[in-house]
Structure formats: structure tokens, C-alpha cells
Coordinates of all heavy atoms in Angstrom, one line a residue:
M1 N 5.9 12.3 -4.2 CA 4.8 12.2 -3.3 C 3.8 13.3 -3.7 O 4.1 14.4 -3.9 CB 5.3 12.4 -1.8 CG 4.2 12.4 -0.8 SD 3.3 10.8 -0.9 CE 2.5 10.7 0.7
M2 N 2.5 12.9 -3.8 CA 1.3 13.8 -4.1 C 1.1 14.7 -2.9 O 1.3 14.4 -1.7 CB 0.0 13.0 -4.3 CG 0.2 12.1 -5.6 SD 0.4 13.1 -7.0 CE 0.1 11.8 -8.3
K3 N 0.8 16.0 -3.3 CA 0.6 17.0 -2.3 C -0.9 17.5 -2.2 O -1.6 17.4 -3.2 CB 1.4 18.2 -2.5 CG 2.8 17.9 -2.6 CD 3.5 17.8 -1.2 CE 5.0 17.7 -1.3 NZ 5.5 17.4 0.1
H4 N -1.4 17.8 -1.0 CA -2.8 18.4 -0.9 C -3.1 19.3 -2.1 O -4.1 19.3 -2.6 CB -3.0 19.1 0.4 CG -2.8 18.3 1.6 ND1 -3.6 17.2 2.0 CD2 -1.9 18.4 2.6 CE1 -3.2 16.7 3.2 NE2 -2.2 17.4 3.5
Y5 N -2.0 20.2 -2.3 CA -2.2 21.3 -3.2 C -2.6 20.8 -4.6 O -3.3 21.5 -5.3 CB -0.7 21.9 -3.3 CG -0.7 23.1 -4.3 CD1 -1.3 24.3 -3.9 CD2 0.0 23.1 -5.4 CE1 -1.2 25.5 -4.7 CE2 0.0 24.2 -6.3 CZ -0.6 25.4 -5.8 OH -0.6 26.5 -6.7
D6 N -2.3 19.6 -5.1 CA -2.6 19.1 -6.4 C -4.0 18.3 -6.4 O -4.4 17.8 -7.3 CB -1.6 18.2 -7.0 CG -0.4 19.0 -7.6 OD1 -0.8 20.2 -8.1 OD2 0.7 18.7 -7.5
C7 N -4.6 18.3 -5.2 CA -5.8 17.5 -5.0 C -7.1 18.3 -5.4 O -7.1 19.5 -5.0 CB -5.8 17.1 -3.6 SG -7.4 16.0 -3.2
K8 N -8.0 17.6 -6.0 CA -9.3 18.3 -6.3 C -10.0 18.8 -5.1 O -10.8 19.7 -5.3 CB -10.1 17.2 -7.1 CG -11.0 17.7 -8.1 CD -11.6 16.6 -8.9 CE -12.5 17.1 -10.0 NZ -12.8 16.1 -11.1
N9 N -9.8 18.2 -4.0 CA -10.5 18.6 -2.7 C -9.8 19.8 -2.1 O -10.3 20.2 -1.0 CB -10.6 17.4 -1.8 CG -11.4 16.3 -2.4 OD1 -12.5 16.5 -2.9 ND2 -10.9 15.1 -2.4
Y10 N -8.7 20.2 -2.6 CA -8.0 21.3 -1.9 C -8.6 22.6 -2.3 O -8.8 23.0 -3.4 CB -6.5 21.2 -2.4 CG -5.7 22.3 -1.8 CD1 -5.1 22.2 -0.5 CD2 -5.4 23.5 -2.5 CE1 -4.3 23.2 0.0 CE2 -4.6 24.6 -1.9 CZ -4.1 24.3 -0.7 OH -3.3 25.4 -0.1
I11 N -8.9 23.5 -1.3 CA -9.4 24.8 -1.5 C -8.4 25.8 -0.9 O -8.0 25.8 0.2 CB -10.7 25.1 -0.6 CG1 -11.8 24.0 -0.9 CG2 -11.3 26.5 -0.7 CD1 -12.8 23.8 0.1
N12 N -7.8 26.6 -1.9 CA -6.7 27.5 -1.5 C -7.2 28.7 -0.6 O -8.4 29.3 -1.0 CB -6.1 28.1 -2.9 CG -4.8 28.7 -2.5 OD1 -4.0 28.2 -1.9 ND2 -4.8 29.9 -3.0
L13 N -6.6 29.0 0.5 CA -7.1 30.0 1.3 C -6.1 31.2 1.2 O -6.5 32.4 1.0 CB -7.2 29.6 2.8 CG -8.2 28.5 3.1 CD1 -8.1 28.1 4.6 CD2 -9.5 29.0 2.8
D14 N -4.8 30.9 1.2 CA -3.8 32.0 1.0 C -2.6 31.4 0.5 O -2.5 30.2 0.1 CB -3.6 32.9 2.2 CG -3.2 32.1 3.5 OD1 -2.4 31.1 3.2 OD2 -3.4 32.4 4.6
C15 N -1.5 32.2 0.5 CA -0.2 31.6 -0.1 C 0.5 30.6 0.7 O 1.5 29.9 0.4 CB 0.7 32.7 -0.5 SG 1.2 33.7 1.0
E16 N 0.0 30.3 2.0 CA 0.6 29.4 2.9 C -0.2 28.2 3.1 O 0.3 26.9 3.4 CB 1.0 30.0 4.2 CG 2.0 31.0 4.1 CD 2.2 31.7 5.5 OE1 1.3 31.5 6.4 OE2 3.2 32.3 5.7
K17 N -1.6 28.3 3.1 CA -2.5 27.2 3.5 C -3.8 27.1 2.7 O -4.0 28.1 2.0 CB -2.8 27.3 5.0 CG -3.6 28.5 5.3 CD -3.8 28.6 6.8 CE -4.6 29.9 7.1 NZ -4.0 31.2 6.7
G18 N -4.4 25.9 2.9 CA -5.7 25.7 2.2 C -6.5 24.9 3.2 O -6.1 24.7 4.3
Q19 N -7.7 24.4 2.6 CA -8.5 23.6 3.5 C -9.0 22.4 2.6 O -9.2 22.5 1.4 CB -9.7 24.4 3.9 CG -10.7 23.7 4.9 CD -11.8 24.5 5.3 OE1 -12.2 25.5 4.7 NE2 -12.4 24.1 6.5
C20 N -9.1 21.3 3.2 CA -9.6 20.1 2.6 C -11.1 20.1 2.6 O -11.7 20.2 3.6 CB -9.1 18.8 3.2 SG -9.9 17.4 2.6
A21 N -11.7 20.0 1.4 CA -13.2 20.1 1.3 C -13.8 18.8 2.0 O -15.1 18.9 2.3 CB -13.6 20.2 -0.2
L22 N -13.1 17.8 2.1 CA -13.7 16.4 2.7 C -13.5 16.5 4.2 O -14.5 16.4 4.9 CB -13.0 15.2 2.1 CG -13.1 15.0 0.7 CD1 -12.3 13.8 0.2 CD2 -14.5 15.0 0.2
S23 N -12.3 16.7 4.7 CA -12.0 16.7 6.1 C -12.3 17.9 6.8 O -12.5 18.0 8.1 CB -10.6 16.2 6.4 OG -9.7 17.3 6.1
K24 N -12.3 19.1 6.1 CA -12.4 20.5 6.6 C -11.1 20.9 7.4 O -11.2 22.0 7.9 CB -13.6 20.7 7.5 CG -15.0 20.1 6.9 CD -15.5 21.0 5.8 CE -16.8 20.5 5.3 NZ -17.0 20.7 3.8
N25 N -10.1 20.1 7.4 CA -8.9 20.4 8.1 C -8.2 21.5 7.3 O -8.2 21.6 6.0 CB -8.0 19.2 8.1 CG -8.5 18.2 9.2 OD1 -9.3 18.5 10.1 ND2 -8.1 17.0 9.0
L26 N -7.5 22.4 8.0 CA -6.5 23.3 7.4 C -5.3 22.6 7.1 O -4.7 21.8 8.0 CB -6.2 24.5 8.4 CG -7.4 25.5 8.7 CD1 -6.9 26.6 9.6 CD2 -7.9 26.2 7.3
I27 N -4.7 22.9 5.9 CA -3.6 22.1 5.5 C -2.5 23.0 4.8 O -2.9 23.9 4.0 CB -4.0 20.9 4.5 CG1 -5.0 21.4 3.5 CG2 -4.4 19.7 5.2 CD1 -5.6 20.3 2.6
P28 N -1.2 22.8 5.1 CA -0.2 23.7 4.5 C 0.1 23.3 3.1 O -0.1 22.2 2.6 CB 1.0 23.3 5.4 CG 0.8 21.9 5.9 CD -0.6 21.7 6.0
I29 N 0.5 24.4 2.3 CA 0.9 24.2 0.9 C 2.1 23.3 0.8 O 2.2 22.5 0.0 CB 1.0 25.5 0.3 CG1 -0.3 26.1 -0.1 CG2 1.9 25.4 -1.1 CD1 -0.3 27.4 -0.9
D30 N 3.2 23.6 1.6 CA 4.4 22.8 1.6 C 4.9 22.5 2.9 O 4.4 23.0 4.0 CB 5.5 23.4 0.6 CG 5.7 24.9 1.1 OD1 5.4 25.2 2.2 OD2 6.2 25.7 0.2
G31 N 5.9 21.8 3.0 CA 6.6 21.5 4.4 C 5.9 20.4 5.0 O 5.1 19.6 4.4
E32 N 6.1 20.4 6.4 CA 5.4 19.4 7.2 C 3.9 19.3 7.0 O 3.3 20.4 7.1 CB 5.8 19.5 8.6 CG 5.6 18.3 9.5 CD 6.0 18.6 11.0 OE1 6.8 19.5 11.3 OE2 5.5 17.9 11.8
G33 N 3.3 18.1 6.8 CA 1.9 18.0 6.8 C 1.3 18.3 5.4 O 0.1 18.3 5.2
S34 N 2.2 18.5 4.3 CA 1.7 18.8 3.0 C 1.4 17.6 2.1 O 1.0 17.8 1.0 CB 2.6 19.8 2.3 OG 3.8 19.3 2.1
D35 N 1.8 16.5 2.6 CA 1.6 15.3 1.8 C 0.1 14.8 1.7 O -0.6 15.0 2.7 CB 2.4 14.1 2.3 CG 3.9 14.3 2.1 OD1 4.3 15.1 1.2 OD2 4.8 13.6 2.7
A36 N -0.3 14.4 0.6 CA -1.7 14.0 0.4 C -2.1 12.8 1.1 O -1.2 12.0 1.6 CB -1.9 13.7 -1.1
C37 N -3.4 12.6 1.4 CA -4.0 11.5 2.0 C -4.4 10.4 1.0 O -4.4 10.7 -0.2 CB -5.1 11.9 3.0 SG -6.7 12.1 2.1
P38 N -4.9 9.3 1.4 CA -5.3 8.1 0.4 C -6.5 8.6 -0.3 O -6.9 7.9 -1.3 CB -5.7 7.0 1.4 CG -4.9 7.2 2.6 CD -4.8 8.7 2.8
M39 N -7.2 9.6 0.1 CA -8.4 10.2 -0.7 C -8.1 11.2 -1.8 O -8.9 11.6 -2.5 CB -9.4 10.9 0.3 CG -9.8 10.1 1.5 SD -11.0 8.9 1.1 CE -12.4 9.8 1.0
F40 N -6.8 11.2 -2.0 CA -6.3 12.2 -3.1 C -6.9 12.0 -4.5 O -7.0 10.8 -4.8 CB -4.7 12.0 -3.2 CG -4.2 12.9 -4.3 CD1 -3.7 14.2 -4.0 CD2 -4.0 12.4 -5.6 CE1 -3.2 15.0 -5.0 CE2 -3.4 13.2 -6.6 CZ -3.0 14.5 -6.3
M41 N -7.4 13.0 -5.1 CA -7.9 13.0 -6.4 C -7.2 14.1 -7.2 O -7.2 15.2 -6.8 CB -9.4 13.3 -6.5 CG -10.3 12.2 -5.9 SD -12.0 12.7 -5.8 CE -12.3 13.0 -7.5
Q42 N -6.5 13.7 -8.4 CA -5.8 14.7 -9.1 C -6.7 15.9 -9.6 O -7.7 15.6 -10.2 CB -5.1 14.0 -10.3 CG -4.4 15.0 -11.2 CD -3.2 15.7 -10.6 OE1 -2.3 15.0 -10.0 NE2 -3.2 16.9 -10.6
A43 N -6.3 17.0 -9.2 CA -7.1 18.2 -9.7 C -6.8 18.4 -11.2 O -5.8 18.0 -11.8 CB -6.6 19.5 -8.9
E44 N -7.8 19.1 -11.9 CA -7.6 19.3 -13.4 C -6.7 20.6 -13.5 O -7.1 21.7 -13.2 CB -9.0 19.5 -14.0 CG -9.8 18.3 -14.0 CD -11.3 18.5 -14.1 OE1 -11.7 19.6 -14.1 OE2 -12.0 17.5 -14.3
K45 N -5.5 20.2 -13.9 CA -4.5 21.4 -14.1 C -3.9 21.1 -15.5 O -3.8 20.1 -16.1 CB -3.4 21.3 -13.1 CG -3.9 21.6 -11.6 CD -2.8 21.7 -10.7 CE -3.4 22.1 -9.4 NZ -2.4 22.5 -8.4
C46 N -3.4 22.2 -16.1 CA -2.8 22.2 -17.4 C -1.7 21.1 -17.4 O -1.7 20.4 -18.5 CB -2.2 23.5 -17.8 SG -3.4 24.8 -18.1
G47 N -1.0 20.9 -16.4 CA 0.2 19.9 -16.4 C -0.3 18.5 -16.6 O 0.6 17.7 -17.0
V48 N -1.5 18.2 -16.3 CA -1.9 16.7 -16.5 C -2.9 16.6 -17.7 O -3.4 15.5 -17.9 CB -2.6 16.2 -15.2 CG1 -1.7 16.1 -14.0 CG2 -3.9 17.0 -14.9
C49 N -3.0 17.6 -18.5 CA -3.8 17.6 -19.7 C -3.0 17.0 -20.9 O -1.8 17.4 -21.1 CB -4.3 19.0 -20.0 SG -5.3 19.1 -21.5
K50 N -3.6 16.2 -21.8 CA -3.0 15.6 -22.9 C -2.5 16.8 -23.9 O -1.7 16.5 -24.8 CB -3.8 14.7 -23.6 CG -3.9 13.3 -23.0 CD -4.8 12.3 -23.7 CE -4.8 10.9 -23.0 NZ -6.0 10.2 -23.2
N51 N -3.1 17.9 -23.9 CA -2.9 19.0 -24.8 C -1.6 19.8 -24.4 O -1.3 20.7 -25.1 CB -4.1 19.9 -25.0 CG -5.2 19.2 -25.7 OD1 -5.0 18.4 -26.7 ND2 -6.4 19.3 -25.2
F52 N -1.1 19.5 -23.2 CA 0.0 20.2 -22.6 C 1.3 19.6 -23.1 O 1.4 18.4 -22.8 CB -0.1 20.3 -21.2 CG 0.9 21.1 -20.4 CD1 1.0 22.5 -20.5 CD2 2.0 20.5 -19.8 CE1 1.9 23.3 -19.9 CE2 2.9 21.3 -19.1 CZ 2.9 22.6 -19.2
A53 N 2.2 20.3 -23.6 CA 3.5 19.6 -24.1 C 4.7 20.5 -23.7 O 4.7 21.7 -23.5 CB 3.4 19.6 -25.7
D54 N 5.9 19.7 -23.6 CA 7.1 20.2 -23.5 C 7.4 21.3 -22.4 O 8.0 22.4 -22.7 CB 7.6 21.0 -24.9 CG 7.4 20.0 -26.0 OD1 7.6 18.8 -25.9 OD2 7.1 20.5 -27.1
P55 N 7.1 21.0 -21.2 CA 7.2 21.9 -20.1 C 8.8 22.0 -19.9 O 9.6 21.1 -19.9 CB 6.6 21.2 -18.9 CG 6.5 19.8 -19.3 CD 6.4 19.6 -20.7
D56 N 9.2 23.3 -19.5 CA 10.6 23.4 -19.1 C 10.7 23.3 -17.6 O 9.8 22.8 -16.9 CB 11.1 24.8 -19.6 CG 10.3 26.0 -18.9 OD1 9.7 25.7 -17.9 OD2 10.5 27.1 -19.3
K57 N 11.9 23.5 -17.1 CA 12.1 23.2 -15.6 C 11.3 24.1 -14.7 O 11.2 23.8 -13.5 CB 13.6 23.4 -15.2 CG 14.2 24.8 -15.5 CD 15.7 24.7 -15.1 CE 16.3 26.1 -15.4 NZ 17.7 26.2 -15.0
Y58 N 10.6 25.2 -15.3 CA 9.8 26.0 -14.5 C 8.3 25.7 -14.7 O 7.5 26.3 -14.1 CB 10.0 27.5 -14.9 CG 11.4 28.0 -14.8 CD1 12.2 28.2 -15.9 CD2 12.0 28.2 -13.6 CE1 13.5 28.6 -15.9 CE2 13.3 28.6 -13.4 CZ 14.1 28.8 -14.5 OH 15.3 29.2 -14.4
G59 N 8.1 24.6 -15.4 CA 6.7 24.2 -15.6 C 6.0 25.0 -16.6 O 4.7 24.9 -16.8
V60 N 6.7 25.8 -17.5 CA 6.1 26.4 -18.6 C 6.1 25.6 -19.9 O 7.2 25.3 -20.3 CB 6.7 27.8 -18.9 CG1 6.1 28.6 -20.0 CG2 6.7 28.7 -17.5
G61 N 5.0 25.3 -20.4 CA 5.0 24.4 -21.7 C 4.1 25.1 -22.7 O 3.8 26.2 -22.6
T62 N 3.6 24.2 -23.6 CA 2.9 24.7 -24.7 C 1.4 24.0 -24.7 O 1.4 22.8 -24.6 CB 3.5 24.4 -26.0 OG1 4.8 25.0 -26.1 CG2 2.7 24.9 -27.3
C63 N 0.4 24.8 -24.8 CA -0.9 24.2 -25.0 C -1.3 24.0 -26.4 O -1.2 25.0 -27.2 CB -1.9 25.2 -24.3 SG -3.7 24.7 -24.7
K64 N -1.6 22.8 -26.7 CA -1.9 22.5 -28.2 C -3.4 22.2 -28.3 O -3.8 21.6 -29.3 CB -1.1 21.3 -28.6 CG 0.4 21.6 -28.6 CD 1.2 20.3 -29.1 CE 2.7 20.5 -28.9 NZ 3.4 20.8 -30.2
G65 N -4.2 22.6 -27.3 CA -5.6 22.3 -27.3 C -6.5 23.1 -28.2 O -7.6 22.7 -28.6
F66 N -6.0 24.3 -28.5 CA -6.7 25.3 -29.4 C -6.1 25.5 -30.8 O -5.0 25.0 -31.0 CB -6.8 26.6 -28.6 CG -7.5 26.5 -27.3 CD1 -6.9 26.1 -26.2 CD2 -8.9 26.8 -27.2 CE1 -7.6 26.0 -24.9 CE2 -9.7 26.7 -26.1 CZ -9.1 26.3 -24.9
A67 N -6.9 26.0 -31.6 CA -6.4 26.3 -33.0 C -5.0 26.9 -33.0 O -4.1 26.7 -33.7 CB -7.3 27.0 -33.9
K68 N -4.8 28.0 -32.1 CA -3.6 28.7 -32.0 C -2.8 28.2 -30.8 O -3.4 28.2 -29.6 CB -3.9 30.1 -31.9 CG -2.6 31.1 -31.9 CD -3.1 32.6 -31.8 CE -2.0 33.5 -31.9 NZ -0.9 33.3 -30.8
E69 N -1.6 27.7 -31.0 CA -0.8 27.2 -29.8 C -0.4 28.4 -29.0 O -0.1 29.5 -29.4 CB 0.5 26.5 -30.3 CG 0.1 25.1 -30.9 CD 1.4 24.4 -31.2 OE1 2.5 24.8 -30.9 OE2 1.3 23.2 -31.7
N70 N -0.3 28.2 -27.6 CA 0.2 29.2 -26.7 C 0.8 28.6 -25.6 O 0.8 27.4 -25.3 CB -1.1 30.0 -26.2 CG -0.9 31.5 -26.1 OD1 0.2 31.9 -25.8 ND2 -1.9 32.3 -26.1
W71 N 1.6 29.4 -24.8 CA 2.3 28.9 -23.7 C 1.3 28.7 -22.4 O 0.3 29.4 -22.4 CB 3.5 29.8 -23.3 CG 3.1 31.1 -22.9 CD1 3.1 32.3 -23.7 CD2 2.8 31.6 -21.6 NE1 2.7 33.4 -23.0 CE2 2.5 33.1 -21.8 CE3 2.7 31.1 -20.3 CZ2 2.2 33.9 -20.6 CZ3 2.3 31.9 -19.2 CH2 2.0 33.2 -19.4
A72 N 1.7 27.8 -21.6 CA 0.7 27.6 -20.3 C 1.6 27.2 -19.2 O 2.6 26.5 -19.4 CB -0.3 26.5 -20.7
Y73 N 1.1 27.5 -18.0 CA 1.8 27.0 -16.7 C 1.2 25.6 -16.4 O 0.0 25.5 -16.4 CB 1.4 27.9 -15.6 CG 2.2 29.3 -15.6 CD1 1.6 30.4 -15.8 CD2 3.6 29.2 -15.4 CE1 2.4 31.6 -15.8 CE2 4.4 30.3 -15.3 CZ 3.8 31.6 -15.5 OH 4.4 32.7 -15.5
A74 N 2.1 24.6 -16.0 CA 1.6 23.3 -15.6 C 0.7 23.4 -14.5 O -0.2 22.7 -14.2 CB 2.8 22.4 -15.4
S75 N 1.0 24.3 -13.5 CA 0.1 24.5 -12.2 C -1.1 25.2 -12.5 O -2.0 25.4 -11.5 CB 1.0 25.2 -11.2 OG 1.3 26.5 -11.6
C76 N -1.4 25.7 -13.6 CA -2.7 26.4 -13.9 C -3.9 25.6 -13.7 O -3.9 24.5 -14.3 CB -2.6 27.1 -15.2 SG -4.1 28.2 -15.6
G77 N -4.9 26.1 -13.1 CA -6.2 25.3 -12.9 C -6.9 25.2 -14.2 O -7.0 26.2 -15.0
A78 N -7.4 24.0 -14.6 CA -8.0 23.8 -15.9 C -9.4 23.3 -15.7 O -10.1 22.8 -16.7 CB -7.2 22.7 -16.7
F79 N -10.0 23.4 -14.6 CA -11.4 22.9 -14.3 C -12.4 23.5 -15.2 O -13.4 23.0 -15.5 CB -11.7 23.0 -12.8 CG -11.7 24.4 -12.3 CD1 -12.7 25.2 -12.4 CD2 -10.5 24.9 -11.7 CE1 -12.6 26.6 -11.9 CE2 -10.4 26.2 -11.3 CZ -11.5 27.0 -11.4
A80 N -12.2 24.8 -15.7 CA -13.1 25.4 -16.5 C -12.7 25.4 -18.0 O -13.4 26.1 -18.8 CB -13.3 26.8 -16.1
C81 N -11.7 24.6 -18.3 CA -11.2 24.7 -19.8 C -12.0 23.7 -20.6 O -12.1 22.6 -20.4 CB -9.7 24.3 -19.8 SG -9.1 24.2 -21.5
E82 N -12.5 24.2 -21.7 CA -13.4 23.3 -22.5 C -12.6 22.3 -23.3 O -13.1 21.3 -23.8 CB -14.1 24.2 -23.5 CG -13.2 25.0 -24.6 CD -14.0 26.0 -25.4 OE1 -14.2 27.1 -25.0 OE2 -14.3 25.6 -26.6
K83 N -11.3 22.5 -23.4 CA -10.4 21.6 -24.1 C -9.6 20.6 -23.2 O -8.8 19.9 -23.6 CB -9.3 22.3 -25.0 CG -10.1 23.2 -26.1 CD -10.6 22.4 -27.2 CE -11.1 23.3 -28.3 NZ -11.8 22.6 -29.3
F84 N -9.9 20.7 -21.9 CA -9.1 19.9 -21.0 C -9.4 18.4 -21.3 O -10.4 18.0 -21.5 CB -9.6 20.1 -19.5 CG -8.8 19.3 -18.6 CD1 -7.5 19.7 -18.3 CD2 -9.4 18.2 -17.9 CE1 -6.8 18.9 -17.3 CE2 -8.6 17.4 -17.0 CZ -7.4 17.7 -16.7
N85 N -8.3 17.6 -21.4 CA -8.3 16.3 -22.0 C -7.4 15.4 -21.1 O -6.2 15.6 -21.2 CB -7.9 16.3 -23.4 CG -8.2 14.9 -24.0 OD1 -8.5 13.9 -23.3 ND2 -7.9 14.8 -25.3
K86 N -7.9 14.4 -20.3 CA -7.0 13.6 -19.4 C -6.6 12.3 -20.0 O -7.3 11.7 -20.7 CB -7.7 13.4 -18.1 CG -6.6 13.7 -17.0 CD -7.2 13.9 -15.6 CE -8.1 12.8 -15.1 NZ -8.6 13.1 -13.8
Ligands
SF4_1 S1 -5.1 14.9 -0.2 FE1 -6.7 14.2 1.2 S2 -6.6 15.6 3.0 FE2 -5.5 16.5 1.2 S3 -7.0 17.8 0.1 FE3 -7.0 15.8 -0.8 S4 -8.6 14.6 0.2 FE4 -8.1 16.4 1.4

């Protein structure tokens, strides 16, 4: 199930909650009420980029988007990455 947390419209406020940019509602990161709505749009994160490979169980994988390969977190925001590729 998709979570608000992975949505492009999610604005992080602190380690427990965020706000939806569309509805302006406060929404929890996990637990009750954390499931996404039908307006969900996948946020640009390393984990959904084609250059991200071989994540382990902690979500740590390899970024192959640049000349030099490096490790990356799947949950890392990629909205400002010039090599982001979906
Ligand atoms: S899933 Fe829906 S409610 Fe949640 S942040 Fe995205 S648009 Fe807003």
C-alpha cells in the first residue's frame, strides 16, 4: 500500500507527521491514517530511479547515474538530482 510519505504532495513537518499540499490536512508518517489517497503521485526518490541498483534489506543500494558509482538510500529525495531517471 502506498503511503502519504512517498507522495509528491507530502510536506514533511517533523519525524511523526506531515501535511498534504493538496488537502492541507495533517497526516501521519506511519500507523493509522498513513495510507495514500487516490491522488497519490510517486515522489522522486532514489529508490524509484533507473540508476539505482541492488538495494539491501535496509534500502541501501548503488547509484549508477554518475561517472563514479556510490551508495545511496532508496528513501533519499531525488527531486534536485540532475541524473534522476524514471
Ligand atoms: S496521498 Fe493523497 S492525501 Fe496523501 S499526500 Fe498524497 S495527495 Fe495528499
Side-chain angles (χ1 to χ4, degrees):
M1 183 58 167
M2 296 299 191
K3 301 284 183 185
H4 300 296
Y5 182 72
D6 279 327
C7 177
K8 212 168 186 166
N9 297 310
Y10 179 84
I11 303 163
N12 195 49
L13 295 178
D14 59 31
C15 59
E16 293 177 342
K17 64 181 178 303
Q19 186 175 25
C20 173
L22 298 183
S23 71
K24 311 290 185 212
N25 288 337
L26 290 180
I27 42 187
I29 281 185
D30 54 22
E32 197 182 337
S34 65
D35 290 342
C37 82
M39 305 287 282
F40 177 88
M41 287 173 64
Q42 176 63 53
E44 292 161 353
K45 294 190 174 188
C46 292
V48 295
C49 176
K50 281 184 180 149
N51 293 318
F52 182 75
D54 308 324
D56 65 14
K57 62 180 176 178
Y58 303 107
V60 180
T62 303
C63 171
K64 297 177 184 260
F66 294 85
K68 187 178 181 302
E69 288 188 3
N70 214 334
W71 61 270
Y73 284 111
S75 60
C76 179
F79 56 89
C81 178
E82 63 187 86
K83 300 288 186 184
F84 182 76
N85 186 358
K86 226 160 62 176

